Structures are given as structure tokens and as C-alpha cells.
Amino acid sequence: MGFLKVVSLEEALKVIESFGIEAKVEEVPVEEALGRVLAEDVRAPIDVPPFDRATVDGYALRAEDTFMASESEPVRLKLVGQINAGDIPEIKLEKGQTVGISTGAPLPLGADAVAMLEEVEVEGDEVLIYKPYYPQAGVMKAGTDIAKGAVVLKAPKRLTFKDTALLSALGYEKVRVFRRPRVAVISTGNEIILPGEELRPGSIYDINGRAITDAIRELGGEAFFLGIARDDEDSLREKLLEGLKYDMVILSGGASAGVRDLTSSIIEELGKVHVHGIAIQPGKPTIIGQVDGKPIFGLPGYPTSCLTNFTLLVAPLLRRLLGLSGEKRSVRKRLAHKVFSVKGRRQFLPVRVEGEEAVPILKGSGAITSFVDADGFIEVPETVEILEEGEEVEVFLF
């Protein structure tokens, strides 16, 4: 059989858009939120700090009591107690009084400054102050770090350890994030074996299953590798039905027009094939379908073709479901050397980024190192036969 429903890349992307799959939101404990994508802005529910507090060890006082202090004529204040971090002050300072205070402790009523321990002397129950202190010296006022109601994290944002620390400091126990899409990954082919198995004549170790699974996880989704489907109807059907327990299914291999490639017919039997072939090179043998409303992607078997089409077709959908559709995944570089193409053929060429240059990798999509050595790929439009050395190109990153 041939390619049944060959479309342009733009038409393929419209098909995926037409599936109408929307991002979903869930609430998770902050302790499980690292790496998740924030679904809504976070506002501070409290002032930080929640009270006026000392920023140094020393003596809390009334600043106006110190205005006449000098080295030659220190002001003497009466010591009336001690406040430590975690205490609830019960003291109210009156004129001429001071209280010992530790870093982080709340200021007592009446106090508006703190003299550092090293800047005073203590004689019995008196503290000698040798210089004037201005109001708020040695003090952090309530809300000066973070004001109650302020937006502290804007969605969408992938949460880092600093973000989860901030949420904890604000007392958040849970946070609303985008639900991670759950994706089944299946490799296909009689020649494919898993690492750890004996490499027999004619067999090759699976690379696409590992690459796709970890690419999904790197984006932030949940990936479930279901193993290898052999080139027969029963094996493919069994694996595909198992994959339908998840939100979408990605198969690699079994999408070309060869007689052993049954993926399209199995998908058509269970649901609908929307695309069977995309007018690009490499990566033409690609299937896009739906079964029970769930997207099914049949990607090419060659690693570079497989991951190029994953980046072009699947990754944008995953980023949208993760709330990251605006995330930029390309860079502008200068082409390291001239590239020739065939006019009328839309080509995606793997490249390695070296500084400000994009270095084309010309080993062919079947070579593992074409994919492993590449940082991404560039597009050569069908109307272009030559890209010149030094020409600016957009590198779409894996």
C-alpha cells in the first residue's frame, strides 16, 4: 500500500489542533510541585515578615531617645527585659527604656529601632548608647519583604526549588498546576530488541523508545514505555489497546508504506487515521490518528526522523497541555558551511550548535549519531536549493 493521506506540515498541525484537547488543572502538595507548571498566579496570603522584627542582635529602643547621644556623652537607657526569636513580646517600651533582642525576634510595642550589640555597653541594668539611631534602623517592617496580596509567582511557570521554598515560606500547603499528560510509548519492528538482550544477527537495540520516553519526561509529561510491538496484527493491536489506557499513544516505526507496516490499518480499525504521510524529508512516513478521542502518533523508525517529527508535531501539543505553549524552543545562528538541497523538497536538516554557528550533520537520518550529535534542526524550504555559509538560520531545538 502507499501513503494514504499525505498532507503538508501545516495541515498536520491543524489536524492536531482540531482534536480540541485542553489543558487540565489539578492541585498538588507543594512537596510534590517541583518541576510542575503553575496554572494560576500565586498571591501572598500574609505579610512577610508578618511582624516588625529585629535584623541584628542588640537592644530595641525608641529612636527619639537616642538623638542626643554621642561618643563623649552617651545616653543611658534602662534595660527592662529580653526578647528572643519566637517570643511574643509583652513589654511596652516607655521613654528611656530598652530591651535586649535577638535577630528575627518581634519588636515590642513602643520600639522603632535596634542598636547593634557591638555598638553599646552595658553597665548593670543600664545600656549606654553612643550614637543616634534613626527610626527603622536594625528593623525589618512587616510586609517590607513581601506585601500581603502581592503576586509572587506568575503562571505559567515551571516551579524551581526556589519557588517551592517561597510557597512554603508563605504557608502554602498545596498549589494548582497543570496536569501532566500521560503518554504511552511503543516501539515497533521485528528487528528491535531491548538493551540487556543478546544482539542477534539482523537485530538492533531500541533507541526510539528510550528517546521519546525521556523527551516526554524532560518536557514535564508522564511517559510509560510499553515495550516492543512486533510486525503482526495481534501484537500491534494488543500494544495499542494497552496504550489507550493513557492520554495519548506514540509508536515509532511501522508507519512507512512497506507491506509489513500495519500501524495505519490497526488504527483505522480501532478509530480514524487523519494523516498518513507528511510532505517533508526526513519524516514523511508519519501517521496521525485518533482512537476513542485520544491522539495516536505513528512516527518514523529512523531516530533523526522520529525525533524531528516528535519535536514538530508532538512536543507543541505536550507543551500546550502543560501550559507552556509560549515557551520558545528555537535560536538564531549562522550556518557553518554551505548546504545543498533539492528544489521542491521541504527538508529538515539536523545541526549541532557551536557558539554562534549551526553545523549541519550530513550522515543521513538512519545514523544514530545524526540524532545524538544534533542539538536540533533547520528547515530548508522547498523553494530553496542552496543555503550559503554564514546565512542566518533558525535552529529548532530538540
Side-chain angles (χ1 to χ4, degrees), residues 104-127:
L107 259 66
L109 288 174
D112 60 1
V114 176
M116 289 180 64
L117 199 63
E118 299 86 349
E119 296 175 345
V120 304
E121 289 185 8
V122 179
E123 292 183 357
D125 64 352
E126 289 187 325
V127 178

Side-chain angles (χ1 to χ4, degrees), residues 183-189 206 208-209 212 216 225-231 235-241 243-244 248-255 262-264 266-267 270 285-289 291 295-301 306-307 309-310 314:
V183 185
V185 179
I186 302 166
S187 295
T188 71
D206 178 46
N208 291 344
I212 295 170
I216 294 165
F225 181 60
L226 304 186
I228 298 169
R230 300 305 173 189
D231 286 329
S235 181
L236 275 167
R237 187 182 294 105
E238 179 184 349
K239 288 294 183 185
L240 190 50
L241 288 171
L244 291 173
M248 74 176 73
V249 183
I250 301 174
L251 305 97
S252 67
L262 306 171
T263 308
S264 178
I266 299 297
I267 296 173
L270 298 173
T286 295
I287 296 169
I288 302 172
V291 177
I296 312 294
F297 294 93
L299 301 180
C306 178
L307 271 297
N309 280 18
F310 174 87
V314 184

Side-chain angles (χ1 to χ4, degrees), residues 37-77:
V37 180
L38 195 63
E40 59 184 30
D41 293 350
V42 173
R43 293 182 179 273
I46 58 171
D47 282 328
V48 178
F51 48 81
D52 296 352
R53 69 181 184 187
T55 60
V56 295
D57 291 337
Y59 294 89
L61 47 78
R62 292 159 26 108
E64 63 182 286
D65 289 346
T66 70
F67 289 164
M68 302 302 293
S70 68
E71 288 284 342
S72 58
E73 294 188 30
V75 169
R76 292 176 176 266
L77 300 177

